Amino acid sequence: MTSRQFATFEVAGQLFGVEVHTVQEVLSYNEYTPVPLAPSAVGGLFNLRGQVIAAVDLRVQLGLARQALQGPVMNVILRGDGEPVSLVVDKIGEVVDLDDETFEPPPDTLSGPTRELVVGTFKLDGRLMLALDVNQAVDTHRATI
């Protein structure tokens, strides 16, 4: 039986996850620099040990209202195809081991922007975790708001 590890987090009460190997680190940050004329999903930029990181608001990517980047904000720093990018999330979860046998494709009822970001689902104890496509989640040119 093959299993994978996922780093979990919440946005608007929904549990999401990305494979651990795509995560550089998780941190709380509170000083963002706005980026004029940037896509709406880009909440700002921040300096992480000398490297400039774009903060992509996962709420906007999901078609929800933007999160206010005031005070400490939770960031999941992802290693995508290019430079590291931060996903701004509501709450950090834990790392879970999930069996590939419990993986299911996204339900047909899932629609809108979320459908484009979700590659599948895993049933956890009492919850459903939506597995994200990391590259789609940080692609700010596909944002709808």
Side-chain angles (χ1 to χ4, degrees):
M1 183 176 347
T2 307
S3 68
R4 294 183 276 173
Q5 287 190 316
F6 282 82
T8 65
F9 46 88
E10 290 184 24
V11 173
Q14 175 61 56
L15 185 66
F16 292 92
V18 294
E19 290 194 63
V20 166
H21 70 84
T22 66
V23 177
Q24 177 176 313
E25 61 188 290
V26 175
L27 55 90
S28 174
Y29 206 79
N30 60 0
E31 292 184 32
Y32 297 88
T33 301
V35 183
L37 305 176
S40 61
V42 176
L45 302 174
F46 65 97
N47 184 341
L48 180 63
R49 294 182 295 279
Q51 186 171 23
V52 177
I53 306 286
V56 176
D57 191 335
L58 188 54
R59 285 178 162 271
V60 175
Q61 295 289 74
L62 294 168
L64 302 171
R66 172 184 294 284
Q67 177 173 333
L69 296 182
Q70 298 172 348
V73 177
M74 299 312 298
N75 293 267
V76 179
I77 311 296
L78 300 171
R79 288 179 242 138
D81 288 335
E83 297 180 359
V85 177
S86 169
L87 271 185
V88 175
V89 300
D90 296 347
K91 181 179 175 185
I92 300 298
E94 57 191 2
V95 174
V96 294
D97 288 306
L98 300 173
D99 293 327
D100 284 342
E101 292 177 1
T102 64
F103 176 83
E104 294 184 19
D108 292 335
T109 55
L110 191 61
S111 62
T114 304
R115 178 68 178 204
E116 297 173 24
L117 302 181
V118 173
V119 294
T121 62
F122 287 91
K123 292 177 187 170
L124 305 180
D125 294 330
R127 290 193 83 176
L128 191 65
M129 186 198 80
L130 302 179
L132 290 179
D133 177 322
V134 170
N135 293 319
Q136 287 291 322
V138 299
D139 180 2
T140 59
H141 298 291
R142 56 153 301 284
T144 58
I145 293 179

